Amino acid sequence: KNNLGIIYKHGIGQEIKKEIGWAIEYFKEAIKYGNHCISMYNLAHLYFYEKPFKNSNEESIKLLINSSKQNHYPSKFLLCIVSIYEFGNNINDIIQKLKKIESISNELTNSIIDIFKWSWYIIINITPLYIAAERGNKDIVELLLSRSDVDINLKAILILI
């Protein structure tokens, strides 16, 4: 059912047109019969980006919390994005507001905090380097990769640039 949801969410050329209503139904069926974190993620993603009804972001958050409880990292990451969109960028406010919508464990709270920390790390350290590389200045990336005092996590990301 999840795969049918994906097909109707995006459509396939001229053969199958995009049908958000059908996609929602197929994702809901997949969740009902299997409680699959990927189907919850896909439905939450659809709710957030397509906005098929009022308060769709709150429903998206509920789905993402539940799929995150199954340790599905993409759900945790999207939960952070939706939460920032809905509640602003204060991590303490976000955690409190999420707890009002659905119960979250300390483990999930810590995961959200870690994602926020890592995201800021990327924004501060990686984005300028990516822009430089996109503009043709790959020398800075190669220089940082060759240095021993550059953080290993930063080097891992630089390789992708």
Side-chain angles (χ1 to χ4, degrees):
K1 301 286 181 174
N2 182 70
N3 292 343
L4 288 170
I6 292 292
I7 288 169
Y8 281 106
K9 179 182 176 190
H10 299 285
I12 299 178
Q14 300 295 324
E15 298 156 11
I16 300 173
K17 66 180 183 169
K18 180 178 176 178
E19 292 280 352
I20 296 301
W22 282 108
I24 290 170
E25 288 306 312
Y26 282 121
F27 289 140
K28 284 182 175 181
E29 280 187 37
I31 294 165
K32 179 180 174 183
Y33 294 111
N35 201 34
H36 295 290
C37 59
I38 294 172
S39 299
M40 286 187 245
Y41 170 83
N42 286 332
L43 183 56
H45 188 280
L46 184 151
Y47 284 168
F48 179 61
Y49 287 103
E50 297 289 337
K51 307 267 190 279
F53 56 88
K54 188 178 177 180
N55 298 327
S56 61
N57 285 348
E58 186 171 330
E59 290 303 311
S60 179
I61 288 170
K62 289 177 186 177
L63 288 162
L64 291 167
I65 289 172
N66 286 315
S67 59
S68 293
K69 289 176 182 176
Q70 296 180 35
N71 208 25
H72 186 246
Y73 186 80
S75 293
K76 292 176 183 180
F77 195 81
L78 185 56
L79 177 60
C80 290
I81 293 170
V82 176
S83 297
I84 291 168
Y85 182 85
E86 277 295 300
F87 310 126
N89 62 3
N90 182 307
I91 187 65
N92 295 320
D93 289 346
I94 287 172
I95 298 297
Q96 293 307 315
K97 289 177 181 176
L98 289 176
K99 287 181 178 180
K100 288 180 182 177
I101 294 173
E102 191 84 24
S103 71
I104 58 174
S105 66
N106 288 336
E107 182 182 345
L108 180 54
T109 300
N110 291 335
S111 290
I112 292 168
I113 292 168
D114 288 344
I115 291 168
F116 266 75
K117 287 178 185 175
W118 181 244
S119 297
W120 282 116
Y121 179 85
I122 290 172
I123 290 167
I124 292 166
N125 293 299
I126 306 302
T127 304
L129 297 172
Y130 182 78
I131 291 169
E134 281 290 304
R135 292 183 178 159
N137 188 359
K138 296 212 181 248
D139 295 338
I140 187 79
V141 174
E142 291 173 19
L143 172 69
L144 289 170
L145 283 171
S146 69
R147 295 186 49 144
S148 61
D149 60 335
V150 174
D151 180 74
I152 191 71
N153 293 316
L154 179 57
K155 283 186 174 183
I157 295 172
L158 288 173
I159 291 169
L160 299 174
I161 296 175

